[in-house]
Amino acid sequence: MDQTVIGIIGMGLMGKMYARKLSAAGWRVHACDMRDKFEALEQEFSDIPRIVIYEDGYGVSRSSDYIIYSVEAEMIDKVVAEYGRATKKHAIVGGQTSCKAPEVAAFERHLPSDVEIVSCHSLHGPNVDPKDQPLVIIKHRASQKAYDLVRNVMACFGSKLVPLTAEEHDQITADTQAVTHAAFLSMGTAWRANNQFPWELTRYVGGIENVKCNITLRIYSNKWHVYAGLAILNPSAKKQIRQYAESVTDLYKLMLGGHKQELEKRIKAAGEFVFNAAGKEGEPLLLSDEVLDQFSLGKVPKERTPNNHLSLLAMVDCWWKLRIVPYDHMICSTPLFRLWLGVTEYLFRKPALLDEVINIAVEDNTFRSDDLEFTFAARGWSDCVSFGDFSSYRDRFEQIQSYFAPRFPEATRVGNEMIRVLLEKT
């Protein structure tokens, strides 16, 4: 390993994961977080000699050859404005935010002209093994030599390196992540509104319900800003989240009004566009009954309560309305997106199950109150994103987070195993 120093400004969960992986691969790492965390970080990494903790980003910027800003998307401009001018001459700078438009704008605005810009984004959370996961590399303002150095640095993660532009990255993350997150955030909001812990109700245990429960808890166990930045700062994401809320509302109204024929026509047209037009007919499903039943937070009942799966129907309807074919972005898909696509595919590519769901949607009232709260929740999250209100987003998220917090450790354990099994199949 040469004498290249990797700088990390922002030692949250992802920053720490990067620091440990890079140092284990032999790279020297200079890192920092907010000044009041200096002593705690210095103590935490005292046994790893290749990681040197600095009090602030000035020291990291002056001493590092490739600097990664691993901060919240909302804060990127402020942080780069403070430390960017101290960047070592001819260094390379990149960011790990989920929305690249404000990140690149901050770099162009505040970095010296001799600094090269090569950004990145690991499309998974800090608790997921990065091996074989997509890792986007963005050569924005850089020589081939600088780009090759960054690729060499990132090789230690064992991830699939995906070259994109900043614009392509933001469009793809909107297509694959924004609506997926909105669906699960809405589920959690609805369950809390009904004062439900879904794994304690037999109608939410087994099969598709296992994915809903596990991934909802997994999302709420993370930091709020992981999802807020992507949703609020990405214009494409706002549009898609709004469409998801409209799809939920439209389908719920058809169910409530008993308009079975119209509902069936719309759902099957959406399914035809997303699944059959994509050439998936005849191909094996991403998820099987055995895999779905394997990961339950509650006891699986002998007989399941049929569900109309409004959240899944609305997802496919949303893709159809926006003309998104989700399979087009599998190379940049997150584990959560693959799980969500897997359960929607499971429903829509089983004609008998889809017909049952349509019948239940119109004729059975078991989930009617749940669906009402889910509709309110989807519209509420859409409004929050449209207003661009980070404070409101955080308040909503953390209230629901505290409600489900006691089950996070178990959900994380089960979720990690579920993702591992899925990745073996995809």
Side-chain angles (χ1 to χ4, degrees):
M1 199 65 65
D2 62 24
Q3 296 303 302
T4 299
V5 175
I6 312 302
I8 300 177
I9 296 176
M11 288 288 277
L13 296 177
M14 284 300 287
K16 289 179 180 180
M17 187 273 281
Y18 261 56
R20 290 193 172 96
K21 288 284 185 182
L22 291 167
S23 64
W27 297 99
R28 293 191 296 158
V29 176
H30 292 179
C32 72
D33 203 278
M34 291 182 288
R35 290 182 179 87
D36 60 358
K37 296 182 179 180
F38 170 65
E39 292 182 0
L41 280 173
E42 197 173 39
Q43 178 64 33
E44 182 178 349
F45 291 94
S46 60
D47 60 340
I48 308 178
R50 288 186 178 278
I51 299 179
V52 178
I53 301 299
Y54 282 76
E55 190 170 353
D56 56 40
Y58 293 115
V60 173
S61 295
R62 285 196 300 267
S63 63
S64 303
D65 302 291
Y66 176 41
I67 301 142
I68 302 170
Y69 282 81
S70 186
V71 301
E72 303 167 25
E74 179 191 10
M75 301 298 296
I76 188 70
D77 188 78
K78 179 181 179 181
V79 178
V80 177
E82 183 171 2
Y83 300 128
R85 63 183 181 273
T87 305
K88 184 178 179 180
K89 194 171 184 180
H90 302 305
I92 310 166
V93 171
Q96 172 66 295
T97 67
S98 57
C99 185
K100 294 304 178 188
E103 176 184 294
V104 166
F107 290 157
E108 291 179 339
R109 187 178 300 118
H110 303 299
L111 292 177
S113 60
D114 63 275
V115 172
E116 302 190 76
I117 301 171
V118 182
S119 242
C120 65
H121 185 200
S122 290
L123 294 174
H124 58 83
N127 297 317
V128 174
D129 185 349
K131 189 176 187 306
D132 294 328
Q133 295 297 321
L135 197 168
V136 174
I137 305 288
I138 299 170
K139 181 184 177 184
H140 183 71
R141 187 180 79 193
S143 64
Q144 189 60 40
K145 181 180 178 182
Y147 182 61
D148 290 342
L149 173 60
V150 173
R151 289 180 65 91
N152 187 32
V153 169
M154 296 299 169
C156 69
F157 292 100
S159 300
K160 298 175 183 175
L161 301 185
V162 183
L164 294 175
T165 66
E167 293 78 12
E168 288 169 338
H169 168 276
D170 284 356
Q171 184 61 57
I172 289 172
T173 53
D175 289 353
T176 58
Q177 295 187 51
V179 182
T180 305
H181 297 159
F184 289 115
L185 290 171
S186 299
M187 284 183 224
T189 305
W191 287 330
R192 179 182 178 274
N194 280 331
N195 198 27
Q196 294 172 338
F197 294 105
W199 54 87
E200 295 177 354
L201 306 173
T202 56
R203 68 176 186 262
Y204 281 117
V205 177
I208 291 173
E209 309 301 345
N210 288 343
V211 174
K212 291 180 181 179
C213 291
N214 279 306
I215 303 305
T216 297
L217 292 185
R218 189 179 187 86
I219 284 178
Y220 276 109
S221 69
N222 286 323
K223 299 289 187 181
W224 67 275
H225 64 77
V226 173
Y227 310 105
L230 187 153
I232 293 175
L233 297 176
N234 188 327
S236 295
K238 289 184 178 182
K239 174 184 175 183
Q240 293 175 18
I241 293 169
R242 187 183 310 114
Q243 179 56 58
Y244 184 68
E246 291 175 2
S247 291
V248 170
T249 304
D250 290 348
L251 295 182
Y252 183 62
K253 287 179 177 178
L254 291 175
M255 294 176 185
L256 203 60
H259 304 298
K260 181 179 177 181
Q261 188 174 358
E262 187 178 349
L263 177 67
E264 182 176 17
K265 181 179 178 181
R266 179 164 173 168
I267 287 171
K268 292 195 172 179
E272 175 67 27
F273 171 80
V274 172
F275 299 104
N276 294 345
K280 292 298 169 182
E281 192 170 6
E283 291 190 12
L285 297 172
L286 291 173
L287 298 174
S288 64
D289 290 306
E290 292 74 21
V291 171
L292 288 170
D293 280 339
Q294 195 174 337
F295 304 105
S296 176
L297 291 173
K299 185 177 179 181
V300 179
K302 292 181 180 179
E303 293 186 11
R304 293 176 185 161
T305 303
N307 190 337
N308 61 53
H309 295 301
L310 175 58
S311 60
L312 297 177
L313 299 180
M315 180 60 64
V316 176
D317 187 82
C318 174
W319 286 332
W320 173 49
K321 292 291 185 181
L322 294 171
R323 315 310 287 176
I324 293 172
V325 178
Y327 297 98
D328 290 347
H329 301 317
M330 288 298 279
I331 188 63
C332 286
S333 62
T334 63
L336 297 192
F337 177 74
R338 272 169 274 176
L339 279 168
W340 197 225
L341 178 57
V343 291
T344 56
E345 179 191 76
Y346 179 90
L347 171 59
F348 274 81
R349 289 182 56 203
K350 287 192 166 189
L353 178 59
L354 186 60
D355 287 340
E356 176 189 278
V357 163
I358 293 169
N359 287 331
I360 292 296
V362 175
E363 298 170 5
D364 191 314
N365 292 325
T366 304
F367 287 88
R368 200 69 85 211
S369 63
D370 298 48
D371 290 338
L372 177 63
E373 291 294 351
F374 180 75
T375 303
F376 288 156
R379 293 167 69 95
W381 281 110
S382 177
D383 288 344
C384 185
V385 169
S386 295
F387 297 150
D389 188 349
F390 279 94
S391 178
S392 175
Y393 192 106
R394 180 176 186 172
D395 288 344
R396 288 173 63 88
F397 187 97
E398 291 185 341
Q399 285 177 18
I400 299 155
Q401 184 180 59
S402 64
Y403 179 75
F404 289 115
R407 292 303 290 264
F408 287 160
E410 184 182 1
T412 299
R413 178 186 60 79
V414 174
N416 284 344
E417 181 62 17
M418 185 164 59
I419 287 171
R420 184 190 66 77
V421 171
L422 173 71
L423 295 181
E424 289 176 356
K425 294 176 63 64
T426 59

